[in-house]
Amino acid sequence: MRAGTRKRMISIMAWGCTILVLLISIGSLVPKAAAQPDKYPKMAPIDQYLMERNAEIPLARSAAPDSISSDATVLILGRQGYETAVEGRNGWVCMVERGWMGMFDWPEFWNPKVRAADCLNPQAARSILPIADLRARMVMAGRSKAEIVSAIKAAFQNKQLPNLEGGAMAYMMSKSAYLTDEGDYAIETSH
């Protein structure tokens, strides 16, 4: 395969993945009629979502290879939302997402155990972080799912949130994350 053709195929695949993420995100804004009952019907006390800084930073970095995460910006969740714990130099951003970054009809949306280590490349950081920041600030302010959905829709309509960039991707390689209560996907954290 020629280099130009290969590059074009990789670009198409990356763009396709980005579109898939966007479709899943938009689809999650509209509740499904046959949605499963919420396993966690309401938000837990805020303290249950917070982590010790000295545990959250290495968990966030564990999402990507050291060659990337060692120079990445690291965000940690504070009482007002995400805040910068480590200023990076390579444009990547590592963080630990909580359940509320999942689909709005996910039964574990409010699960306080979810700790999804994620490291975003520069394109994803520019595209996804504003959404993550809005969601986190609203959750930490005690807003309901309906209020969060409404705010996100309004922010997209008013062009306050960016479009997804081509080439956006993330690593989620952590062996210390907790993604769900279901089956083999639950990986216990060490903290």
Side-chain angles (χ1 to χ4, degrees), residues 69-82:
S69 63
S70 63
D71 289 328
T73 294
V74 178
L75 303 181
I76 60 172
L77 185 64
R79 293 194 174 277
Q80 307 299 313
Y82 283 103

Side-chain angles (χ1 to χ4, degrees), residues 122-143:
Q123 299 92 317
R126 290 188 296 268
S127 302
I128 302 299
L129 280 182
I131 300 166
D133 181 58
L134 176 59
R135 279 184 163 199
R137 283 186 289 117
M138 293 195 71
V139 165
M140 299 312 278
R143 301 293 186 239

Side-chain angles (χ1 to χ4, degrees), residues 45-53 56 76-81 98 100 112 115 140 191:
I46 287 178
D47 286 342
Q48 290 184 30
Y49 297 102
L50 299 175
M51 293 179 66
E52 291 290 327
R53 175 187 182 95
E56 189 159 1
I76 60 172
L77 185 64
R79 293 194 174 277
Q80 307 299 313
R98 301 327 196 256
W100 64 72
R115 301 286 189 269
M140 299 312 278
H191 47 288

